[in-house]
Amino acid sequence: MDSAKSSVGAVPLRSAKPIWRISQYRQQQLWGLVFLSPWVLGFLIFTFFPMIASLYFSFTDYNLNRVNEYSFVGLRNYAQLFTDPLVSTSLQATLRFAVIALPLGLVLPVALAALLNSRWLIGKPIMRTLFYMPYMVPVVSAVAIWGGMLNSQSGWINRGLALIGIAGPDWLNDVFWIYPALNIIGLWGIGNAFMITLAAMQGVPTELYEAATVDGAGPFQRFRSITLPMISPVIFYNLVLSVIGLLRYFEIPYILSQGTGRPGGATMFFNIHLYKTAFVFGDMGYGSALAWMLFVIAFGATVFLFATSRYWVYYASGENT
């Protein structure tokens, strides 16, 4: 009787789902966080925390030569920005350079991409490789190469000009010619912008060109009315990167002039002034204020570009940022 009762009243065991087992969606989220964690840690350690530290130092008189002796000075470093003559000098040098560099950095990649996207051009794969390869050359090596090529006495460019009876300028020591020289060196590395623009051009639907051709549109009209609007998001992307890159322009002029600003202060760009203040003279407090001034300018310029992009940037989805 007891045996029957126990067998009747027994509840069959079911394979219950372990309480610690999580759903597949949650597992994917966790694995996503795991793979993102190196970037997150790198951002926190090498970007975010240094930014917070520099913001704190900008309100102090912290100096690398006396790291254990510093005090809170309030807004004194920011007030010094308006009385430091090198601030206006470096901003003017950056602006003068940008007047030449920014249009070239936007127009030339589009022109090269249009050239290499032409169906009539022979050897396009080789030319694409040749245009992109200089982008892979380290900056120091590229500047050393161009420093020799732009040498007023023995440089290949001036020697080539002499062959056709033209006296070459003193590229690196003349205030008038230093900005064209810097732009020549800078154009050596437009391969990345060129490849992105070329990829955007190749993504334009051919049906649009065919319809425009049927309607009687010529090559220039097709380029202006179809190609440029369709690749305008990429042009906008290159524009934002170019503006930010111009504000942080440092390596090429520093290597050429060793941070002296020669000739005549023309290469004393804002980033060079910031670097010398913080790391050469050790005034990290004022250097941090300069860095945050640069951040505010770059942030304001970026916000302005995004605010105006809705009037000229076309998105195929019909949504403007």
Side-chain angles (χ1 to χ4, degrees):
M1 184 69 181
D2 293 337
S3 170
K5 183 177 180 180
S6 61
S7 62
V8 171
V11 178
L13 296 178
R14 293 179 298 177
S15 58
K17 190 176 182 180
I19 59 174
W20 50 266
R21 188 170 182 178
I22 57 179
S23 65
Q24 183 178 5
Y25 176 72
R26 183 64 63 182
Q27 287 180 353
Q28 292 175 349
Q29 286 185 320
L30 291 176
W31 277 112
L33 293 175
V34 169
F35 286 113
L36 283 175
S37 59
W39 182 90
V40 173
L41 291 175
F43 172 77
L44 292 175
I45 296 173
F46 298 109
T47 302
F48 182 73
F49 291 148
M51 286 181 65
I52 299 302
S54 69
L55 180 62
Y56 170 74
F57 289 145
S58 68
F59 296 102
T60 68
D61 60 353
Y62 183 73
N63 194 292
L64 295 179
N65 299 319
R66 43 181 180 82
V67 294
N68 296 322
E69 302 176 8
Y70 65 93
S71 58
F72 185 80
V73 296
L75 297 175
R76 190 179 73 183
N77 290 324
Y78 291 95
Q80 187 177 347
L81 295 173
F82 299 96
T83 59
D84 183 1
L86 283 178
V87 171
S88 60
T89 300
S90 59
L91 287 176
Q92 290 174 15
T94 304
L95 182 61
R96 287 196 297 268
F97 175 70
V99 169
I100 304 175
L102 191 59
L104 281 177
L106 294 177
V107 173
L108 194 58
V110 174
L112 289 176
L115 175 64
L116 269 71
N117 195 42
S118 173
R119 60 178 179 175
W120 307 110
L121 186 66
I122 301 175
K124 289 188 287 186
I126 298 176
M127 296 189 67
R128 292 169 189 167
T129 304
L130 292 177
F131 277 117
Y132 184 77
M133 282 181 61
Y135 179 75
M136 303 174 64
V137 178
V139 175
V140 177
S141 302
V143 174
I145 294 171
W146 278 103
M149 294 185 64
L150 293 170
N151 187 284
S152 60
Q153 303 298 324
S154 59
W156 293 358
I157 293 180
N158 279 10
R159 286 189 174 186
L161 293 174
L163 293 176
I164 57 177
I166 300 177
D170 192 356
W171 295 97
L172 303 178
N173 299 303
D174 191 309
V175 176
F176 180 79
W177 288 103
I178 185 62
Y179 292 138
L182 291 176
N183 277 282
I184 291 174
I185 299 174
L187 292 177
W188 175 257
I190 65 169
N192 188 53
F194 152 71
M195 289 298 291
I196 294 174
T197 306
L198 178 61
M201 282 189 181
Q202 292 178 340
V204 178
T206 57
E207 296 83 1
L208 298 177
Y209 294 115
E210 294 171 356
T213 303
V214 171
D215 291 339
F220 178 76
Q221 290 177 313
R222 293 196 298 269
F223 182 80
R224 185 190 61 175
S225 302
I226 298 176
T227 305
L228 286 180
M230 294 298 292
I231 68 171
S232 58
V234 172
I235 296 176
F236 174 67
Y237 170 79
N238 289 333
L239 174 62
V240 173
L241 291 187
S242 298
V243 170
I244 296 175
L246 287 170
L247 290 174
R248 53 183 294 273
Y249 190 58
F250 174 78
E251 293 92 347
I252 295 176
Y254 184 81
I255 295 171
L256 288 176
S257 66
Q258 300 301 313
T260 60
R262 69 174 187 268
T267 59
M268 182 54 70
F269 293 97
F270 191 88
N271 249 18
I272 293 180
H273 177 42
L274 189 161
Y275 170 79
K276 294 182 66 175
T277 299
F279 298 103
V280 177
F281 304 126
D283 191 353
M284 188 60 69
Y286 182 53
S288 298
L290 288 170
W292 277 96
M293 177 183 179
L294 182 63
F295 171 78
V296 170
I297 295 175
F299 181 77
T302 305
V303 170
F304 173 78
L305 291 176
F306 272 91
T308 57
S309 65
R310 68 184 64 183
Y311 300 108
W312 62 277
V313 178
Y314 170 78
Y315 294 95
S317 62
E319 298 178 359
N320 290 334
T321 57

